[in-house]
Amino acid sequence: MKYGENMGENLNSKLFYNTILCQTFSPDGRYLLAGNVYGDISVYDLSTALGPRQTDDEEFLGPTYQFKAHPDQQVQSMLTTNNFLVTGTCGEVAGWDWKSVTSSKSLKIKPSWVVQIPSKKDSLEKPDVNCMVYSKENHLIYAGCGDNKIHTINLDTGKIISSLAGHTDFIHSISVFGKQLASGGEDGTVRLWDLRNKENTNILQPHLNDKVARPKIGKWIGAVDFTDDWLLCGGGPKLSLWHVRTMEAATVFDLPDEGIHVADIFEERIITGGAMPYLYHLTYQGVPLAKVPISSKTVYSVIYQENPQKVLSIGGSSNKIDVCTNFNYREMVLKFA
């Protein structure tokens, strides 16, 4: 077999097993970025992607360009600040200057800064940065990690200024609303935190509720979101909506999933995905508003924006990214590579 053929086969098998773990939009909303399990980041110019197509419909549009952000590591989480694309991987959070990310065709983009997540004293393993949120107000990043902690990174100094400890296993998902943070983890708990006092104010264990529990899938919490009144969570337990004040389940959603990885409260609807080949839009009462078929068997990332173009983008266990410009149906499919 020729060397070139072997290379091609390796690439094809890589793409066959490709999984997109995270996505974000550039600050001006003109670019979509996606990170995968091989450490690559694909960059799409949305005006080109959403513009009129010259090619045959069968050929999915690939990225404008791609760069290797973290060789031999997974790009596990990603977010946007005004100046930086921020990526989370094993043991570190890195910031990439937007100008170089969105204008350079160079494959040798280097991060502008890197913050190391401290390892446990007796461990050689570095903690994964599984999820991140950015607080514009305070210029802080909250990173949910494999060391069971949520680390607060000050972007002005590039230092970890505090850590929230309480989870007894790694953290899958975090959400910030005002001065509060919600986190969900492998330990089966959803925790609410007061960010001013750095205190854990409430703990919910959905797997202890018979209507919500699914012991065969597990107790882990894969996704959380919340508002003043409502807390949304799911994972091994069914997707459920809880009253924040009483911590009682108001709605338990009946979905055909084998685990929830995405759950967002968006205006008056809930957007959710996980181990099922659909993305659902639901009312708070659980009535389906849309059931969008998708390319992945499991969804790990859903992002959306209203401006400059209305776009909802879905990534998961596939080389394909599903794009909706009307949130209720899939309009096009992009390929990661």
Side-chain angles (χ1 to χ4, degrees):
M1 185 186 283
K2 290 185 192 133
Y3 177 68
E5 285 172 1
N6 197 12
M7 285 273 291
E9 277 196 11
N10 285 346
L11 181 65
N12 286 337
S13 88
K14 259 182 78 168
L15 296 182
F16 181 76
Y17 293 110
N18 189 31
T19 297
I20 295 160
L21 297 176
C22 53
Q23 304 175 92
T24 193
F25 295 109
S26 60
D28 58 10
R30 288 175 49 206
Y31 294 90
L32 165 69
L33 295 93
N36 77 349
V37 288
Y38 302 119
D40 304 312
I41 292 178
S42 285
V43 182
Y44 303 84
D45 183 329
L46 285 173
S47 58
T48 306
L50 301 174
R53 297 289 305 279
Q54 304 299 323
T55 55
D56 181 11
D57 284 342
E58 291 303 303
E59 179 56 33
F60 298 127
L61 190 70
T64 312
Y65 53 93
Q66 194 179 62
F67 65 98
K68 179 70 77 177
H70 299 285
D72 309 317
Q73 298 284 0
Q74 300 186 345
V75 187
Q76 285 162 322
S77 49
M78 195 185 265
L79 57 76
T80 293
T81 75
N82 284 342
N83 299 322
F84 299 104
L85 163 68
V86 182
T87 55
T89 183
C90 182
E92 65 181 44
V93 172
W96 310 76
D97 179 70
W98 273 117
K99 288 197 184 89
S100 57
V101 170
T102 56
S103 63
S104 166
K105 297 283 191 293
S106 152
L107 298 179
K108 292 184 176 159
I109 305 172
K110 288 203 160 50
S112 304
W113 51 264
V114 174
V115 175
Q116 299 290 337
I117 306 295
S119 298
K120 290 178 183 166
K121 286 195 178 77
D122 53 351
S123 170
L124 294 172
E125 285 184 18
K126 294 178 174 180
D128 291 332
V129 181
N130 297 321
C131 49
M132 296 188 294
V133 290
Y134 172 55
S135 166
K136 267 189 183 167
E137 205 182 335
N138 315 324
H139 210 41
L140 299 173
I141 286 173
Y142 298 97
C145 297
D147 60 0
N148 316 341
K149 292 178 183 167
I150 300 148
H151 297 288
T152 308
I153 301 167
N154 182 319
L155 279 180
D156 295 324
T157 63
K159 289 191 165 55
I160 293 174
I161 54 170
S162 64
S163 301
L164 302 172
H167 280 281
T168 57
D169 210 333
F170 59 85
I171 293 157
H172 283 295
S173 176
I174 53 178
S175 174
V176 168
F177 186 80
K179 299 283 190 287
Q180 287 197 95
L181 182 143
S183 57
E186 188 70 11
D187 61 5
T189 68
V190 177
R191 290 168 186 263
L192 290 176
W193 307 82
D194 179 329
L195 292 174
R196 281 167 298 201
N197 302 325
K198 302 179 180 58
E199 279 177 358
N200 187 182
T201 55
N202 223 323
I203 301 173
L204 175 67
Q205 299 183 75
H207 68 279
L208 298 181
N209 181 312
D210 290 342
K211 289 183 193 157
V212 181
R214 294 188 291 191
K216 283 185 179 163
I217 303 176
K219 65 179 184 178
W220 55 275
I221 298 295
V224 293
D225 199 10
F226 71 120
T227 65
D228 272 336
D229 301 316
W230 300 105
L231 173 66
L232 178 69
C233 61
K238 290 179 183 177
L239 183 71
S240 47
L241 189 67
W242 302 70
H243 286 290
V244 167
R245 282 171 187 77
T246 61
M247 281 296 170
E248 286 176 7
T251 309
V252 179
F253 298 91
D254 186 24
L255 295 169
D257 69 283
E258 292 292 315
I260 294 289
H261 297 290
V262 172
D264 284 350
I265 298 168
F266 175 69
E267 292 174 352
E268 291 304 304
R269 69 173 61 193
I270 282 158
I271 299 173
T272 188
M276 56 181 169
Y278 299 96
L279 185 77
Y280 279 86
H281 297 243
L282 306 155
T283 67
Y284 282 22
Q285 292 74 36
V287 179
L289 298 167
K291 176 184 172 184
V292 182
I294 50 171
S295 304
S296 303
K297 289 198 171 83
T298 302
V299 175
Y300 292 111
S301 170
V302 175
I303 58 167
Y304 38 79
Q305 67 175 19
E306 299 274 20
N307 292 304
Q309 285 143 314
K310 189 170 176 178
V311 177
L312 181 146
S313 181
I314 308 154
S317 59
S318 154
N319 191 46
K320 297 181 182 129
I321 297 173
D322 299 301
V323 178
C324 312
T325 51
N326 171 323
F327 285 4
N328 294 339
Y329 62 88
R330 176 173 63 181
E331 182 146 53
M332 68 170 56
V333 178
L334 303 173
K335 60 182 181 182
F336 184 88

